[in-house]
Structure formats: structure tokens, C-alpha cells
């Protein structure tokens, strides 16, 4: 079995993130691995295609501030230090790959909602991370309650 020393945990900060955190904590404990947490915020211009003639930078800053606060609270549960908490702006799968390479992680842990039908055809962040990662990826099946 592979030995994991550095694990990157991708969180969407939804209620289901606690399930991903729990599994990551178990892996961290089992392998005495260092955990890093990441939340990727897609720029609002991506979501709206730049068609809205307004300055969204203030809203973007508020989203980043809220995400940092939520990630800090999640990190406290597993004693992940501030220097291993990352809130980044960009396309989720791309940024998770970039950070995983930068941090030289052995494993990425991410949540998977197990979508079917059209959502499956369109792809998901977990699928994007899985197919472009240079290390092992654990997709934790989250139960939506």
C-alpha cells in the first residue's frame, strides 16, 4: 500500500464537506500525513460570462473573505495550520491540480455527489480532478441529506 505524506483536501464548503473532512482526517491519522485544505472560487466573470456591465470585484472580495472564514473553521477540526489553508480563484479542477503539484502532494481527497444523467455527461469537479491528477485521488461519496 502506498504511503501518503502530503494530502490535499478539496472542499466546496457545503454541508457535505464535513464528510470529506472526516475521511481526510482518518487518512491523515492513518499515514501521519500533513493535510492541506483548498477551496476554489470561480471568478464571477466566469459564471456570468462578462456580460454584466458592472464591477463585481467587491462581491468577489466578500466571497473570498467568507470562504477563508469557513475554511479556517473547517481546518480547526483537524488542526490544519493557516499556512496549509488555501482559498484560490479559478477553475476548480485546474487550480486543484496546480496546487497539488506545487505542494507535491501524494493524494487529493475530494467529495463526489455521484450525479447521474445530464449532470454526469456535463462532468463534475471530482471527475475533472480525477482525470488530470498526477497523484492518487480519493473521491469520497457524500450523502446529501
Amino acid at each position: 500500500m502506498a504511503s501518503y505524506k502530503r494530502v490535499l483536501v478539496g472542499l466546496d464548503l457545503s454541508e457535505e464537506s464535513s464528510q470529506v473532512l472526516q475521511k481526510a482526517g482518518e487518512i491523515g491519522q492513518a499515514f501521519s500525513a500533513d493535510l492541506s485544505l483548498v477551496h476554489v472560487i470561480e471568478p464571477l466573470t466566469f459564471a456570468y460570462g462578462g456580460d454584466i456591465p458592472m464591477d463585481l470585484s467587491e462581491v468577489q472580495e466578500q466571497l473570498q473573505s467568507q470562504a477563508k472564514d469557513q475554511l479556517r473553521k473547517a481546518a480547526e477540526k483537524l488542526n490544519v495550520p493557516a499556512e496549509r489553508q488555501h482559498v484560490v480563484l479559478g477553475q476548480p479542477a485546474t487550480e486543484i491540480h496546480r496546487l497539488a503539484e506545487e505542494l507535491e502532494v501524494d493524494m487529493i481527497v475530494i467529495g463526489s455527489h455521484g450525479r447521474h444523467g445530464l449532470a454526469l455527461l456535463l462532468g463534475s469537479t471530482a471527475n475533472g480532478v480525477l482525470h488530470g491528477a498526477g497523484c492518487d485521488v480519493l473521491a469520497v461519496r457524500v450523502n446529501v441529506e
Side-chain angles (χ1 to χ4, degrees):
M1 180 184 249
S3 179
Y4 301 107
K5 294 297 169 203
R6 287 186 290 274
V7 177
L8 179 61
V9 185
L11 299 172
D12 65 4
L13 300 178
S14 66
E15 289 183 28
E16 293 83 27
S17 287
S18 62
Q19 297 170 52
V20 178
L21 267 179
Q22 181 181 347
K23 185 62 73 176
E26 292 168 6
I27 290 167
Q29 232 176 358
F31 292 100
S32 298
D34 289 332
L35 299 179
S36 295
L37 307 182
V38 62
H39 174 70
V40 182
I41 300 172
E42 290 193 67
L44 291 173
T45 53
F46 283 11
Y48 296 104
D51 293 339
I52 299 175
M54 63 172 52
D55 182 12
L56 298 172
S57 58
E58 192 173 315
V59 175
Q60 192 79 60
E61 286 174 21
Q62 287 177 337
L63 288 172
Q64 285 180 267
S65 177
Q66 289 172 351
K68 285 179 183 175
D69 190 48
Q70 286 181 278
L71 194 66
R72 181 184 49 74
K73 288 176 184 169
E76 286 174 358
K77 295 175 184 170
L78 297 177
N79 297 317
V80 175
E83 64 271 12
R84 287 193 265 132
Q85 299 171 31
H86 308 273
V87 173
V88 295
L89 204 58
Q91 196 280 328
T94 302
E95 292 303 317
I96 290 170
H97 291 150
R98 182 193 59 75
L99 191 58
E101 197 171 302
E102 182 182 309
L103 299 176
E104 299 178 346
V105 302
D106 309 302
M107 175 188 269
I108 299 169
V109 178
I110 192 158
S112 174
H113 293 91
R115 293 189 175 95
H116 302 285
L118 187 59
L120 184 63
L121 287 174
L122 295 174
S124 67
T125 298
N127 192 42
V129 170
L130 175 65
H131 290 292
C135 62
D136 290 350
V137 177
L138 173 64
V140 178
R141 180 66 55 115
V142 295
N143 298 314
V144 181
E145 295 158 7

